[in-house]
Amino acid sequence: MKIIISPAKKMNVNTDILAYKDLPVFLDKTEILMQWIQKLSYEEAKKLWDCNDKIAEQNFKRFHEMNLKKNLTPAILSYEGIQYQYMAPIVFEGKEMEYIQQHLRILSGFYGVLKPFDGVTPYRLEMQAKVKGLFGTKDLYEFWGDRLYNELSDDDHIILNLASKEYAKNIERYLKKEDYFVTCIFGEVVNGKVQQKGTMAKMARGEMVRYMAENQIKDVKEIQKFHRLGYVYHEELSGEKEYVFLKEGE
């Protein structure tokens, strides 16, 4: 089983707590992206990142000083978003670390697929970024093609989706009939429909990874016992492709 999650926009450098284990598997493709971005003007880069001047200046400098093989941080510690805060990998023990290294994969517009302890450097490049002029490809989905799916595939063909839609769709479009791809929905009932709220869903996704690592879950159906942050599995709203968790009392 593989568990997929999204990256986070905010990243840090921390080489003191844990050393990285490997370089990312698609580092050659990452280098192509880096070199392409380095050739952009400041205004072109800012448009690509769709951000304010402070963030654009920070990342413009990052890319022009970037080294993909030095001063690297394990990916799971580099990303600082809400999902990662609630996962709290910094306090994982040995068995939890081994579990996420085996089962968890981070999807990235810049790196493609990352194992938790692959070494990364801070960057900004979302999967839906408009990379017109990148070697004839219309977007990053086309640039990466089926590489991310193929890297995730294993013998049991089970993928648990805890990623956002813009990242998950780069896997979904290549699924085969033997694949079991299940998405977790963490929501509330509003006007008779289940709706996810961004921040709460990110929190729950992080808690789900923590829950799975702590309980060493190998059978994806075991996550139906998840009961954290007030979320409870609702069988009547779920199906083969979606597991729906609602706030208790909803």
Side-chain angles (χ1 to χ4, degrees):
M1 175 175 59
K2 291 294 185 293
I3 307 161
I4 59 173
I5 62 174
S6 304
K9 292 179 183 178
K10 189 176 180 182
M11 299 181 69
N12 69 73
V13 174
N14 191 331
T15 59
D16 297 328
I17 298 176
L18 285 174
Y20 74 92
K21 289 187 177 181
D22 301 294
L23 292 173
V25 65
F26 295 122
L27 198 61
D28 58 335
K29 303 291 288 184
T30 300
E31 188 165 2
I32 291 171
L33 288 171
M34 178 188 72
Q35 292 173 355
W36 181 78
I37 292 172
Q38 287 173 337
K39 293 177 182 177
L40 298 177
S41 68
Y42 172 79
E43 290 301 326
E44 289 171 332
K46 182 182 175 184
K47 185 176 180 180
L48 173 71
W49 297 323
D50 189 23
C51 61
N52 61 37
D53 279 316
K54 182 179 180 180
I55 295 172
E57 289 167 4
Q58 178 191 47
N59 284 280
F60 195 74
K61 181 179 180 182
R62 278 176 172 174
F63 269 95
H64 284 274
E65 297 177 349
M66 188 171 284
N67 189 318
L68 298 175
K69 295 182 179 179
K70 292 184 178 180
N71 198 31
L72 305 180
T73 302
I76 199 68
L77 301 183
S78 183
Y79 294 110
E80 290 189 326
I82 294 170
Q83 181 172 6
Y84 294 84
Q85 293 171 23
Y86 276 76
M87 190 192 311
I90 194 66
V91 296
F92 278 176
E93 296 182 353
K95 68 173 186 176
E96 287 91 0
M97 294 291 198
E98 291 173 8
Y99 180 91
I100 61 171
Q101 181 70 358
Q102 180 180 352
H103 296 284
L104 186 65
R105 296 294 180 267
I106 303 165
L107 305 183
S108 164
F110 189 54
Y111 283 106
V113 175
L114 291 164
K115 298 189 295 294
F117 297 102
D118 286 350
V120 300
T121 191
Y123 67 91
R124 186 181 180 94
L125 188 64
E126 296 181 57
M127 189 65 80
Q128 69 270 35
K130 297 177 181 179
V131 292
K132 292 180 180 179
L134 178 61
F135 307 107
T137 59
K138 63 181 181 181
D139 53 32
L140 285 172
Y141 297 104
E142 187 176 321
F143 175 82
W144 287 112
D146 63 358
R147 292 181 181 87
L148 311 192
Y149 166 79
N150 290 334
E151 179 65 19
L152 288 174
S153 297
D154 56 21
D155 293 339
D156 66 11
H157 299 283
I158 297 173
I159 300 174
L160 176 64
N161 175 28
L162 295 174
S164 59
K165 290 181 179 179
E166 60 265 32
Y167 285 92
K169 75 177 188 179
N170 209 12
I171 305 301
E172 289 180 284
R173 62 177 58 185
Y174 299 106
L175 292 174
K176 299 176 182 177
K177 62 180 181 180
E178 62 266 29
D179 293 320
Y180 183 61
F181 184 90
V182 59
T183 298
C184 285
I185 304 295
F186 299 98
E188 301 175 8
V189 175
V190 180
N191 296 325
K193 295 183 179 180
V194 177
Q195 294 185 4
Q196 289 197 103
K197 295 182 179 179
T199 299
M200 290 300 297
K202 291 175 183 178
M203 292 162 57
R205 289 168 186 157
E207 283 283 356
M208 178 61 83
V209 174
R210 164 169 285 283
Y211 174 81
M212 295 180 74
E214 289 175 347
N215 291 280
Q216 301 286 291
I217 288 178
K218 303 294 175 62
D219 181 350
V220 70
K221 292 185 179 180
E222 286 294 307
I223 70 170
Q224 295 172 6
K225 299 176 183 176
F226 176 84
H227 188 175
R228 296 186 178 182
L229 299 179
Y231 285 101
V232 178
Y233 174 71
H234 280 248
E235 184 176 5
E236 74 281 4
L237 297 173
S238 303
E240 286 295 306
K241 296 182 179 180
E242 287 188 345
Y243 289 176
V244 177
F245 298 82
L246 298 181
K247 279 286 193 180
E248 196 167 23
E250 294 288 339

